[in-house]
Amino acid sequence: MLVLDFEKPLYEIEEKINNLKAMANEKGIDVLQEIEALEEKKNNIIKQEFENLTIDKIVKIARHPNRPYTLDYIERIVTDFTEIHGDRVFSDDHAIITGFGYINSQKVAILGHQKGKNTKDNLYRNFGMSNPEGYRKTQRVMKLAQKFNIPIVTFVDTPGAYPGIGAEERGQSEAIARNLYMMFETEVPVVVVVTGEGGSGGALAIAGGDKVGMLEFSIYGVISPEGCSSILWRDTEHSVDAARAMRVGAQDLYELGVIDEIIKEPLGGAHRNYDEIAGNVKAFITKSFDELLPLSKKKLLDKRWKKWREMTTQFL
Amino acid sequence: MALFRKKKKKEENKWIKCKGCGDTFYVEELEQNHWICPKCSSYFRISANNRIKITADEGTFKEFDKRITTKDPLEFTDLKPYKDRLKDAVSKTGNKEAVINGVCTIDGEPCVLSVMDFAFLGGSMGYATGEKLIRAVEKAMKLRIGLVIISSSGGARMQEGILSLMQMERVSAALALLGKKGLPYISVLTDPTTGGVAASFSMLGDVILAEPKALIGFAGPRVIEQTIGKGLPEGFQRSEFLLEKGFIDVVVERKDMPKYIGKFLRYFSENVKK
């Protein structure tokens, strides 16, 4: 397990508590008071370190190697899930998961970026960076969802669409553009959860939803803070300034009227409690479905157009 | 003194150097030659205003939504405040945004024409740019005529953060509505068309035309080189490459572009009920 620098005090104290408990069990001594004191210390650390996270730490948590990814959410939220593969033209893109299952008793189509859990897995998943065939796979699933009237849930977590020779040869820009067009046209409810890193067009390709929720410590932006730093500051030293200036946090996006809801994370971040965050994500999806599923197709699409037509016009 | 300097500057502006062959040419000569180098045939990047001049039928272009402009909602500053960059762009181009909207005829066909201006912050798409493009779509729907967008843009505008990214979906959504009305959308790609502009409305034309040798792609060549750690093949991400790979319909010489646009507008509009 990887622990980030600013997480260390928390993990150290947790280790102390666990050791103390183990010792108490083994030797049968009463350490209740000591544990209580340590627990209080731990809560103070959490309050100090995690309650008002600065953007540099939020970026780190959003990209935390232990952060739950699409398959972790599927495992906890979706029942009877079957993954389906391939764009029927070129290949199967492992950086994007698609499939069908149920949430509660509601049928759902799932689209989600998938990062790897370790180096080997990451090579297989291309670090969650999709090629055109990944987006075209999601287009297939959107068509199926529409055909069989199944609402769509997407999980967004990618550094961006892959910048490679093959990606350009196979039309990365056309693939993303077509996704944007289709996400708007598809006549079923679309619920989007930004779970980690919303990296530019590669994220937006599956993020055009009727309801968009964003995890508290996830980020979403037009370019990575590093990319922005190297272009506008002409060096790599200003990525924190770039992240702050571009306002990439969930709270920022909520205030700018771009997302509908912030999904609360466990203290310290989603990676500290997979079940808890999955529960919160599920509650957001269920609530969104309650609102969207009763709407007629016409109402749904009218509402969707109104949302996009009005977005960002408050700044004109 | 000031007057003298100004005059001298004006004099200098009458000569332009070709990036292809390095020769200098008189502005009038270039203008008459559609801003193509008379010696080596390189295409000059041209301003939106000049683009309109060589595209719309003479005297037909009526600009609308001229006043729409961005207000720097993020109060963005990098090495220089975004507000200053905007001011520079406005005084450099004489326009208030990176796109100009108008109604005109092209080769005799009425249409809404939106032209992006690379000289305005690299033709980048901010929220006001997106708004203008949506209004162009709405105007075409209202007048029941086709839409032509001529792109030249580095992509979404970083200084507007997520607000600029959202324009990709907003404009694409508007185009989906236009499509449902059975009205044609001709997308014309010029050098360069990359990033969030390529990955949204530029690639959604019913027909996609491109000028020769224009740089067109999602990721910039430098980003790709850095990612894969090697050089790129000759002609990579140029119009002819995209034609070969099946992502654009026709590579059209600059002089012939109005004729091609007009032809497709006419062909697709014949059955549109007024």
Side-chain angles (χ1 to χ4, degrees), chain B residues 4 44 81 127 146 159 163 169 180:
Chain B
F4 173 70
F44 284 71
Y127 73 94
Q159 292 92 341
L163 304 177
E169 181 65 65
K180 282 208 182 88

Side-chain angles (χ1 to χ4, degrees), chain A residues 129 136 160-166 168-181 183-185 187 198-205 207-209 220-223 227-228 231-234 238 241-242 245-247 253 256 258 301 305 307-316, chain B residues 68-71 73-74 76-79 85 127-128 131 134-135 138 141 156-170 172-180 195 198-201 203-205 216-220 223-224 227-228 230-233 236-237 241-242 245 247:
Chain A
M129 292 185 282
R136 296 196 176 110
Y162 187 65
I165 289 182
E168 296 292 323
E169 285 177 338
R170 298 191 295 279
Q172 189 72 290
S173 39
E174 192 277 342
I176 293 170
R178 190 65 48 197
N179 263 52
L180 302 179
Y181 195 93
M183 289 219 95
F184 177 74
E185 267 201 323
E187 294 173 338
S200 193
L204 184 65
Y220 190 5
V222 65
I223 187 172
C228 182
I231 295 173
L232 293 182
W233 277 267
R234 301 197 197 103
H238 288 85
D241 294 324
M246 288 194 295
R247 303 191 59 185
L253 269 74
L256 294 168
V258 167
L301 291 191
W305 171 239
K307 167 190 169 141
W308 289 110
R309 184 64 191 88
E310 285 173 5
M311 191 181 284
T312 69
T313 55
Q314 71 269 39
F315 302 112
L316 282 171
Chain B
I68 293 174
T69 185
T70 178
K71 297 199 172 110
L74 305 190
F76 193 99
T77 297
D78 45 85
L79 292 175
R85 289 186 194 270
Y127 73 94
E131 177 69 20
I134 290 174
R135 289 186 189 204
E138 287 173 335
M141 291 197 285
R157 196 176 294 167
M158 281 172 287
Q159 292 92 341
E160 291 183 15
I162 196 75
L163 304 177
S164 66
L165 189 74
M166 291 301 129
Q167 306 312 315
M168 292 170 64
E169 181 65 65
R170 291 183 76 216
S172 302
L175 288 173
L177 295 183
L178 183 79
K180 282 208 182 88
S200 61
F201 59 88
M203 278 293 159
L204 292 172
I216 302 162
F218 175 66
V223 175
I224 300 173
T227 308
I228 62 173
K230 56 179 181 192
L232 300 171
F236 181 65
Q237 292 185 311
F241 170 91
L242 271 91
K245 297 295 171 193
F247 290 101

Side-chain angles (χ1 to χ4, degrees), chain A residues 58 62 67 156 192-198 211-221 247-254 258-265 277 281 284, chain B residues 162:
Chain A
I58 291 178
R67 199 162 173 86
V156 177
V192 173
V193 185
V194 181
T195 60
E197 225 181 334
K211 286 277 167 200
V212 180
M214 202 169 151
L215 264 60
E216 195 180 0
F217 307 131
S218 60
I219 57 170
Y220 190 5
R247 303 191 59 185
V248 297
Q251 187 63 38
D252 296 317
L253 269 74
Y254 184 76
V258 167
I259 60 162
D260 300 293
E261 199 168 315
I262 298 170
I263 300 169
K264 195 95 182 124
E265 292 194 31
I277 190 61
V281 167
F284 167 73
Chain B
I162 196 75

Side-chain angles (χ1 to χ4, degrees), chain A residues 259-308:
Chain A
I259 60 162
D260 300 293
E261 199 168 315
I262 298 170
I263 300 169
K264 195 95 182 124
E265 292 194 31
L267 274 173
H271 59 287
R272 306 224 346 126
N273 193 332
Y274 277 28
D275 290 336
E276 188 180 329
I277 190 61
N280 295 352
V281 167
K282 187 177 175 181
F284 167 73
I285 296 169
T286 312
K287 196 174 86 177
S288 303
F289 276 173
D290 287 345
E291 196 180 311
L292 298 169
L293 288 172
L295 300 177
S296 68
K297 276 181 187 174
K298 190 181 178 311
K299 270 229 169 90
L300 179 75
L301 291 191
D302 286 351
K303 200 171 135 88
R304 188 180 290 166
W305 171 239
K306 192 168 178 278
K307 167 190 169 141
W308 289 110

